Amino acid sequence: MRVVIVTESFPPDVNGVAHCALQTARHLVDRGHLPLVVAPASTALVGRTGTGPDAEAPCPVVRIPSLPLPGYPQVRVALPSRRLAAAVAEHRADIVHLASPFVLGVRGMAVAARLGVPAVAVYQTDLAGYARTYMGAGEAAAWRRIRSVHSAADLTLAPSSASVRDLRDHDVPRVGLWPRGVDTVRFRPGLRDEALRRDLAPNGEVIVGYVGRLAPEKHIELLAGVCGLPGVKVVVVGDGPSRPSLTEALPGAVFLGRRVGDDLARIYACLDVFAHTGPFETFCQTVQEAMASGVPVVAPAAGGPLDLVAHGRTGLLVPPRDADAVRDAVASLVTDPARRTAFGGTARATVEGRTWAAVGDQLIAHYADLLVARKKAAVAA
């Protein structure tokens, strides 16, 4: 199959959309398919694989000129460009894959419709939750936007049962489930490093970690109570607009900035508890990476974590945005090392079959089913 992946973000960006688009491209190449990625550029120049940041991409990458999102420069918005339509046409796409369509993806949807190419839209971002966080309102308008965008797709794939339910409850048609994979070779318990643990917690504290973007919708300030627990060291990995306020809100916490690859995997393995606080996760890849690293998880009972965390077996689910519940759940694990060990071992066993290869094959099956349905519809017509 010839697949064009139109994504709102791609490495070197570090976020869930970029990572999933990269893994999708890699798996398609591994299975003998021909993907092409179209993504916003970090400058006005368009690059292809071979030079610059896309030199290590698994397939050709077409970059569309973009501008930083006002107030959130880490997010870039693609400008109108004829390059998108040209890329889809020149690649002779069988499928257009739209990763978290918002701006560039919406244009990709229109191009696919014009060329008669089936479009698969991957739902990854809780725009309604972001509207509540950043504007205090606008949730209904966000759902109208989501419904409008995804109703135009031949198939929408959501990463968790909660997001499938949300989409269907808001009248989005043709919704299927497609979860995310995890690199169980990179993220593994065997990377636990006692020297690094001494650096992070020189007094032998129990290490409680958060990994992810430092942004208002993640509600990382809920870890303030955890910082006050005796014998606990909070470690925060990531960067974003909330970092200055969080350094004040989380006294005594260690901020490591953005970490990736093997460095990140080593940090995960050194944690004793992983705490996630964001209530708007459509999946929550960092929870799955922590589980692969053999770390018990505390997370809100909302969105993606509901599928990932087995309460009382791999971690603890708490009411969303409840700082006291987060503190108490973490405290219960801090004081019970045997329970932490049991939860961590079960967490690792739970995700061992959730490889990117396994979920990538599920995606290819969705593509194949859609192409067969298209062919049957054409014959019937």
Side-chain angles (χ1 to χ4, degrees):
M1 279 182 281
R2 306 180 72 87
V3 181
V4 174
I5 301 170
V6 182
T7 177
E8 305 291 339
S9 185
F10 197 69
D13 297 347
V14 179
N15 56 59
V17 173
H19 183 66
C20 185
L22 174 63
Q23 294 293 343
T24 299
R26 281 178 176 164
H27 185 71
L28 288 170
V29 170
D30 289 345
R31 291 292 189 259
H33 300 287
L34 298 172
L36 169 75
V37 170
V38 182
S42 57
T43 69
L45 298 176
V46 175
R48 282 185 178 268
T49 298
T51 59
D54 297 322
E56 297 182 4
C59 66
V61 180
V62 173
R63 292 285 184 173
I64 306 298
S66 65
L67 291 174
L69 185 68
Y72 204 153
Q74 293 92 340
V75 177
R76 300 192 67 90
V77 178
L79 297 171
S81 172
R82 296 178 180 176
R83 291 168 178 153
L84 171 59
V88 176
E90 290 172 9
H91 194 63
R92 294 179 287 115
D94 299 306
I95 292 279
V96 173
H97 172 118
L98 306 162
S100 196
F102 180 61
V103 175
L104 185 60
V106 171
R107 296 179 196 138
M109 189 98 69
V111 169
R114 191 162 66 246
L115 296 176
V117 179
V120 175
V122 178
Y123 177 70
Q124 289 179 256
T125 305
D126 183 358
L127 294 178
Y130 284 17
R132 289 195 298 275
T133 299
Y134 287 97
M135 296 181 285
E139 184 177 358
W143 273 114
R144 284 195 296 273
R145 170 74 172 179
I146 293 167
R147 185 164 51 248
S148 173
V149 170
H150 286 270
S151 292
D154 294 85
L155 175 66
T156 288
L157 295 176
S160 64
S161 55
S163 54
V164 168
R165 249 187 335 268
D166 283 346
L167 290 166
R168 290 175 176 167
D169 287 347
H170 288 88
D171 299 322
V172 175
R174 301 178 296 280
V175 179
L177 177 66
W178 180 52
R180 300 293 173 264
V182 64
D183 187 341
T184 54
V185 174
R186 167 166 282 168
F187 299 103
R188 61 189 193 276
L191 294 178
R192 194 173 179 89
D193 184 330
E194 292 304 324
L196 176 56
R197 284 178 53 80
R198 285 192 296 273
D199 287 343
L200 296 174
N203 297 315
E205 298 97 332
V206 173
I207 302 175
V208 178
Y210 167 88
V211 178
R213 281 185 298 112
L214 309 187
E217 72 274 7
K218 301 297 185 181
H219 291 280
I220 308 157
E221 70 281 355
L222 295 175
L223 295 177
V226 177
C227 290
L229 292 173
V232 168
K233 176 63 68 174
V234 172
V235 173
V236 177
V237 180
D239 206 353
S242 294
R243 178 162 180 168
S245 61
L246 287 172
T247 56
E248 295 184 10
L250 305 180
V254 176
F255 287 80
L256 297 179
R258 193 182 86 169
R259 300 297 180 94
V260 297
D262 294 341
D263 187 24
L264 175 61
R266 195 164 60 105
I267 294 169
Y268 269 121
C270 288
L271 302 179
D272 296 301
V273 178
F274 182 80
H276 188 81
T277 51
F280 305 124
E281 301 296 329
T282 59
F283 185 74
C284 202
Q285 183 67 1
T286 57
V287 163
Q288 191 164 241
E289 289 169 352
M291 292 172 66
S293 304
V295 181
V297 172
V298 172
L306 288 169
D307 284 356
L308 297 173
V309 180
H311 182 75
R313 293 185 61 247
T314 65
L316 299 171
L317 293 169
V318 299
R321 287 184 276 192
D322 186 331
D324 290 342
V326 172
R327 181 201 60 215
D328 293 347
V330 170
S332 72
L333 292 175
V334 166
T335 57
D336 194 341
R339 196 179 188 206
R340 291 201 309 267
T341 299
F343 281 9
T346 305
R348 170 68 189 187
T350 298
V351 302
E352 281 180 336
R354 300 179 190 169
T355 64
W356 278 108
V359 300
D361 286 343
Q362 292 174 27
L363 177 63
I364 292 170
H366 281 299
Y367 290 166
D369 290 345
L370 180 55
L371 290 173
V372 168
R374 268 284 185 115
K375 194 171 293 185
K376 286 181 178 178
V379 171

